[in-house]
Amino acid sequence: MLPRTHPLFIPGLVRIKPGALDRAGLYLARGGHRRIVLLESAGLQPGLGQRLEASLAREGIATVGRAEVAEASFEQASALFTRLPAGCEAVLGFGGGRALDVAKYVAFLAGLPYFAVPTSLSNDGFCSPQSSLTQGGRRRSLRAAMPSGVIVDTDVCLHAPDTLWWSGIGDLVAKVTAIADWKRAFHARGTPVNDFAALLSDATVFQFMARPVKDLEGVRLLATALMLNGIAMEVSGSSRPASGGEHLLSHALDALAERPRLHGLQVGVATYVISRLQGQGTERIASVLDATGFWRAITADPFSRREWLEAVRLAPSLKDDFYTVLSSRDCVPEVEALLRTDPRLAGCFVE
């Protein structure tokens, strides 16, 4: 865990409810933000953009700059930063994870307030202190702006594709194995554990686990849990509350797979596998993945068993001084056996 060298930033505005999109302009106006740059996902459903525009117009908020984001790259974010118009008062990220990652990095470079308006809940990145961007074609996690405000319209997210819902669930259950790996790193290497951040991460996960249902309340619980896990990372000054061996596996897949899948889908399966290696938390994790139909997203488009075993070999070397269960022993034989014999993983892998 890095020593804290910056102030603690958390969102002052949090609206997670139906109809929040139509009140986004009101929320920004209350904070005095009248001139914004809007960075939105390419290919976003047109009706959603029209609702946001109408909300901003009602409050007299001027969109002084606007761009569609098709890829989350350092190069694009840097270019957008250099073209920010004078007098811009805030950056608003609207849509999916790529647009939000770029928007919060642009806001970070410019020192401007950032507002996150996700239209789906595929991961915890909408409220975290990092942006996942490619640089020179390689994916990196870069320090970025925590949002000043988080606006989640639960009705909009409820109607997002099931695959994005399952991806968010996969990224959420990862917190169980991440906390276990964090504590393992403390005992093995003396890695400091921020108890409050770990408690915050645990508590939010279990709220959703108690009610893993795709309805308005389930969306609210998932959005709240993912947001608070992002805040736990800000509290600790580290990704440890949200990321352990399961995320290393996903990063390794991003690097070597012929066709990487959605982050949360990779992480969800990896979380189940890592829990088996850790020897704890498996039934809690499996109960949520089972109840939400998560496995249907995987069996509909199975992973390569060969690529996953290569990822297990590569993962421990990806981050310096990031001890996890994958660092504790050669896990390849155990994972190979799991992928072939575990009944929940049946249909999830092909040769």
Side-chain angles (χ1 to χ4, degrees):
M1 181 172 61
L2 296 176
R4 176 165 294 285
T5 57
H6 59 276
L8 178 64
F9 293 110
I10 59 175
L13 166 71
V14 176
R15 294 292 186 273
I16 303 177
K17 63 180 184 178
L21 178 60
D22 304 300
R23 295 172 63 84
L26 176 62
Y27 303 145
L28 267 68
R30 285 174 177 169
H33 304 295
R34 295 289 179 178
R35 292 169 57 82
I36 69 160
V37 164
L38 174 61
L39 302 181
E40 60 186 331
S41 292
L44 197 62
Q45 184 181 336
L48 297 179
Q50 292 167 4
R51 287 171 60 185
L52 178 61
E53 290 168 10
S55 174
L56 297 174
R58 281 195 298 271
E59 302 299 328
I61 295 174
T63 303
V64 297
R66 184 171 189 166
E68 285 194 347
V69 176
E71 63 177 59
S73 71
F74 171 81
E75 291 81 5
Q76 183 179 22
S78 299
L80 288 168
F81 163 65
T82 63
R83 298 198 300 268
L84 281 177
C88 173
E89 297 171 349
V91 177
L92 191 151
F94 179 50
R98 292 175 182 173
L100 301 187
D101 275 322
V102 168
K104 66 179 168 178
Y105 194 67
V106 170
F108 172 72
L109 293 176
L112 290 171
Y114 160 62
F115 290 85
V117 188
T119 55
S120 62
L121 300 171
S122 61
N123 58 60
D124 61 16
F126 66 88
C127 182
S128 76
Q130 297 177 336
S131 283
S132 178
L133 303 175
T134 59
Q135 185 173 19
R138 298 186 63 182
R139 186 154 300 280
R140 297 184 58 194
S141 292
L142 302 174
R143 178 73 192 173
M146 283 289 285
S148 297
V150 172
I151 303 168
V152 180
D153 191 315
T154 52
D155 187 59
V156 169
C157 291
L158 177 63
H159 291 94
D162 283 343
T163 302
L164 299 178
W165 163 257
W166 287 324
S167 180
I169 290 166
D171 204 26
L172 183 66
V173 297
K175 315 319 174 193
V176 177
T177 48
I179 295 298
D181 267 341
W182 197 7
K183 293 176 179 177
R184 182 183 295 267
F186 168 75
H187 291 294
R189 298 283 175 82
T191 302
V193 173
N194 183 304
D195 291 330
F196 181 78
L199 178 64
L200 183 60
S201 185
D202 270 345
T204 56
V205 171
F206 293 134
Q207 287 181 22
F208 179 79
M209 284 184 165
R211 193 185 182 281
V213 179
K214 191 179 182 185
D215 59 11
L216 284 174
E217 176 62 9
V219 170
R220 185 188 71 81
L221 289 171
L222 181 61
T224 302
L226 290 171
M227 180 190 72
L228 290 176
N229 272 284
I231 291 173
M233 287 188 268
E234 173 71 3
V235 168
S236 69
S238 162
S239 65
R240 278 290 193 174
S243 171
E246 73 296 319
H247 273 68
L248 290 182
L249 262 177
S250 181
H251 296 327
L253 287 167
D254 289 339
L256 60 81
E258 181 178 339
R259 184 171 57 86
R261 311 299 203 274
L262 275 174
H263 170 80
L265 298 184
Q266 293 181 165
V267 166
V269 177
T271 297
Y272 179 79
V273 170
I274 292 293
S275 75
R276 292 292 307 271
L277 297 176
Q278 291 174 340
Q280 63 184 69
T282 300
E283 287 309 311
R284 275 196 310 236
I285 292 162
S287 68
V288 176
L289 300 182
D290 293 350
T292 57
F294 172 88
W295 301 111
R296 292 202 299 272
I298 311 304
T299 56
D301 187 17
F303 293 109
S304 160
R305 184 179 290 108
R306 176 187 56 80
E307 288 177 348
W308 268 68
L309 294 178
E310 289 178 13
V312 174
R313 293 186 183 94
L314 175 63
S317 66
L318 289 182
K319 291 180 73 172
D320 294 335
D321 196 28
F322 198 85
Y323 188 91
T324 73
V325 69
L326 296 173
S327 315
S328 66
R329 59 187 186 273
D330 177 9
C331 293
V332 174
E334 293 171 76
V335 173
E336 183 170 19
L338 281 172
L339 301 192
R340 293 187 181 279
T341 63
D342 188 288
R344 283 193 173 92
L345 299 178
C348 294
F349 294 89
V350 294
E351 297 299 338

